[in-house]
């Protein structure tokens, strides 16, 4: 009988898939291990083909806010499958999801569904350019907005550890309209506006940066972005692909009380299926085809299975007002555990159920701060946790995600393992 192991599958995978994976960070390259091939997940646990069980703090990089294979969502998805996987024609579910999004994130008065966060951001930027008639985009060092050409400049996430800050295959001409500012640094933004303000179509930002590890906006930073964009007639785009429905039902914009002109969503909005969304005021979204001249389309956009998973997930979040308090409490316990165990050997950033442990004693407020972390130490920490059945992101520059399915006993076990690590090291 042929035994299936992660090691064997990885060898096989590398022959047919670049690096053996369909998204770079999954390859475990930054932590020097073979990736675990997962065969099932339930609640806060994932199970690999080697027979190991892990408490999962990756949660599919964010979508899994309810935990894995949440039964009410699974039931509805199964039901939806029976009626057909895709029609390429409008459905009631798209209307329901669009209304839910607009209800929970009121600034997204009119919104459109796409199939990924990358597409949502790419489309929002096109709309911003179409609406303003301008070409330049301001993005922040260390923020990640998907893998479209114009945004792969000083991107975070895997682009930060795989040494391709600027991807090969992207012509200089395609990124020359992308201007780079420093996160939490108002001066860097002011300088760009002073020099090229009338050409800037939009500022795009992760309102809480979560792709250089979690970095919080400093007090007044988002308000400042709101003011300076309005002053110059540029649009403010919040990329809430991670923060949407995670910091609260209304995302970061509700949390901080700052309304962007356009918002992009992904991850949670699809409840584990491939969905992205972008939207804003009617006047701006009326630019989009077939109403306006900005073209954007998708064969499987708003498909009935994906929208079902999204609708059910958002409904469950909406009908359970206690969920965000529970997430806060649980994640706070983990934060406290790290602080108690590690003292000033690490810097912890946390907001709601998003957290990062940086292996640096210095405050992490921006890309440079994050990049000063000792990634070898992180890799060591990662391997120790994995060995103990705790699955965190295989990279220093990603967030730790906590779900509603995380059980008290698993949080406590995680705390003990973290204590064990810092006692031994
Ligand atoms: C994940 C992510 C994206 C890209 O979404 P995909 O669905 O992976 O294309 C864009 N922006 C942010 C902030 C993200 O975290």
């Amino acid at each position: 009988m042929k035994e299936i192991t992660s090691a064997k599958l990885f060898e096989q995978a590398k022959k047919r898939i670049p690096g053996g994976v369909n998204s770079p960070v999954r390859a475990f390259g930054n932590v020097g291990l073979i990736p675990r091939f997962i065969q099932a997940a339930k609640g806060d646990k994932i199970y690999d083909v080697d027979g190991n069980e892990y408490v999962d703090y990756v949660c599919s990089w964010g979508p899994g806010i309810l935990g894995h294979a949440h039964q009410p969502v699974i039931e509805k998805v199964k039901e939806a499958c029976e009626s057909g996987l895709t029609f390429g024609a409008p459905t009631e579910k798209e209307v329901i999801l669009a209304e839910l999004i607009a209800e929970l994130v009121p600034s997204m008065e009119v919104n459109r569904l796409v199939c990924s966060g990358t597409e949502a951001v790419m489309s929002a930027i096109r709309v911003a350019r179409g609406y303003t008639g301008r070409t330049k985009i301001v993005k922040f060092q260390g923020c990640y907005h998907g893998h479209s050409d114009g945004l792969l400049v000083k991107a975070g996430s895997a682009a930060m550890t795989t040494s391709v800050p600027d991807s090969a295959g992207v012509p200089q001409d395609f990124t020359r309209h992308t201007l780079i500012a420093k996160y939490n640094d108002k001066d860097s933004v002011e300088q760009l506006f002073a020099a090229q303000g009338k050409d800037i179509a939009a500022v795009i930002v992760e309102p809480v940066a979560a792709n250089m590890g979690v970095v919080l906006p400093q007090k007044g930073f988002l308000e400042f972005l709101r003011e300076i964009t309005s002053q110059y007639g540029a649009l403010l785009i919040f990329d809430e692909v991670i923060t949407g429905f995670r910091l609260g039902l209304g995302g970061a914009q509700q949390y901080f009380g700052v309304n962007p002109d356009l918002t992009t969503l992904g991850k949670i909005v699809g409840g584990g299926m491939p969905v992205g969304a972008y939207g804003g005021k009617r006047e701006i979204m009326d630019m989009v085809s077939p109403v306006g001249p900005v073209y954007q389309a998708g064969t499987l956009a708003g498909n009935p299975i994906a929208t079902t998973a999204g609708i059910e997930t958002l409904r469950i979040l909406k009908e359970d007002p206690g969920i965000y308090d529970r997430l806060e409490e649980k994640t706070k316990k983990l934060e406290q555990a790290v602080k108690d165990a590690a003292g000033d050997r690490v810097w912890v950033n946390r907001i709601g159920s998003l957290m990062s442990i940086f292996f640096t004693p210095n405050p992490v407020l921006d890309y440079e701060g994050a990049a000063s972390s000792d990634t070898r130490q992180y890799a060591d920490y990662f391997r120790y946790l994995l060995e103990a059945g705790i699955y965190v992101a295989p990279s220093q520059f990603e967030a730790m995600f906590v779900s509603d399915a995380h059980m008290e006993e698993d949080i406590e076990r995680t705390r003990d393992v973290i204590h064990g690590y810092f006692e031994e090291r």
Side-chain angles (χ1 to χ4, degrees):
M1 210 176 70
K2 213 175 88 180
E3 201 195 343
I4 296 174
T5 63
S6 288
K8 281 183 196 162
L9 281 177
F10 193 45
E11 280 314 307
Q12 229 180 314
K14 281 191 286 190
K15 291 187 183 130
R16 295 292 177 207
I17 307 170
V21 291
N22 281 310
S23 199
V25 75
R26 294 180 197 168
F28 276 24
N30 308 313
V31 292
L33 290 181
I34 283 168
R36 300 302 187 260
F37 280 66
I38 305 304
Q39 60 178 359
K42 182 74 191 163
D44 64 352
K45 307 280 186 352
I46 51 172
Y47 304 90
D48 67 16
V49 295
D50 312 275
N52 301 305
E53 173 187 304
Y54 305 94
V55 181
D56 178 25
Y57 291 102
V58 176
C59 297
S60 192
W61 306 96
I65 192 166
L66 299 174
H68 294 288
H70 192 64
Q71 214 47 39
V73 179
I74 300 291
E75 290 304 325
K76 295 284 185 185
V77 167
K78 277 185 182 167
E79 241 175 73
C81 286
E82 295 298 335
S83 306
L85 299 184
T86 171
F87 319 124
T91 62
E92 184 186 6
K93 295 225 169 97
E94 293 166 272
V95 185
I96 296 173
L97 186 50
E99 285 177 353
L100 256 175
I101 290 172
E103 179 194 334
L104 301 178
V105 188
S107 78
M108 298 180 78
E109 183 185 357
V110 178
N111 55 78
R112 175 163 278 181
L113 297 178
V114 290
C115 296
S116 69
T118 295
E119 264 185 278
V121 174
M122 196 176 80
S123 310
I125 285 191
R126 188 175 298 155
V127 170
R129 285 178 166 143
Y131 180 75
T132 58
R134 301 173 179 182
T135 51
K136 307 279 182 202
I137 298 293
V138 175
K139 88 172 272 291
F140 293 90
Q141 198 177 15
C143 282
Y144 177 68
H145 303 293
H147 62 89
S148 69
D149 283 345
L151 291 167
L152 276 185
V153 189
K154 299 276 189 272
S157 200
M160 216 165 139
T161 40
T162 49
S163 319
V164 264
D166 305 316
S167 168
V170 178
Q172 283 264 300
D173 277 358
F174 288 21
T175 53
R176 83 191 153 92
H177 297 303
T178 310
L179 312 175
I180 305 296
K182 282 188 183 167
Y183 199 76
N184 277 331
D185 182 339
K186 296 179 188 175
D187 286 350
S188 70
V189 180
E190 264 164 5
Q191 281 167 23
L192 292 174
F193 271 98
Q196 319 188 49
K198 64 179 188 340
D199 296 325
I200 295 174
V203 171
I204 182 162
V205 67
E206 288 181 77
V208 171
N211 285 288
M212 47 177 149
V214 174
V215 177
L216 276 58
Q218 287 190 294
K219 208 169 164 19
F221 181 62
L222 298 175
E223 289 83 352
F224 159 78
L225 295 180
R226 179 63 284 176
E227 276 165 30
I228 195 161
T229 45
S230 299
Q231 183 191 334
Y232 281 89
L235 300 188
L236 178 61
I237 306 174
F238 275 3
D239 181 351
E240 297 229 39
V241 170
I242 283 189
T243 53
F245 311 114
R246 178 153 292 274
L247 292 189
L249 279 176
Q253 50 199 272
Q254 180 187 54
Y255 192 100
F256 294 104
V258 176
N259 274 340
D261 299 299
L262 287 167
T263 300
T264 57
L265 299 173
K267 302 194 169 116
I268 292 175
V269 75
M273 299 290 275
V275 180
Y278 68 98
K281 274 199 266 312
R282 169 169 304 283
E283 179 192 317
I284 300 172
M285 288 301 287
D286 272 353
M287 293 303 292
V288 180
S289 181
V291 183
V294 173
Y295 191 70
Q296 186 270 310
T299 302
L300 294 175
N303 98 73
I305 314 306
T307 47
T308 298
I311 290 166
E312 290 316 311
T313 301
L314 298 192
R315 275 188 181 153
I316 290 168
L317 293 173
K318 184 181 137 183
E319 282 159 18
D320 184 352
I323 188 169
Y324 292 101
D325 290 337
R326 294 197 296 275
L327 289 170
E328 168 84 21
E329 279 310 304
K330 284 191 255 200
T331 319
K332 208 164 161 181
K333 274 190 189 151
L334 292 171
E335 177 190 11
Q336 200 52 49
V338 176
K339 286 181 168 166
D340 290 346
D344 57 8
R345 290 152 71 188
V346 300
W347 181 266
V348 183
N349 280 337
R350 181 189 72 83
I351 181 167
S353 55
L354 289 172
M355 179 166 116
S356 280
I357 302 160
F358 295 95
F359 282 86
T360 171
N362 307 315
V364 176
L365 308 174
D366 57 14
Y367 175 86
E368 276 160 20
S372 76
S373 306
D374 183 343
T375 52
R376 274 195 330 214
Q377 178 90 53
Y378 183 87
D380 182 57
Y381 166 80
F382 172 85
R383 290 190 292 262
Y384 183 96
L385 262 59
L386 192 75
E387 192 64 31
I390 311 289
Y391 192 97
V392 296
S395 160
Q396 169 72 84
F397 306 110
E398 304 285 354
M400 184 174 187
F401 295 92
V402 176
S403 80
D404 197 39
H406 278 86
M407 295 189 292
E408 203 54 46
E409 64 196 67
D410 291 325
I411 299 277
E412 277 166 22
R413 194 158 69 77
T414 307
R415 183 191 61 198
D416 294 344
V417 171
I418 290 172
H419 271 274
Y421 176 79
F422 285 101
E423 271 159 30
E424 282 179 33
R425 292 304 190 271

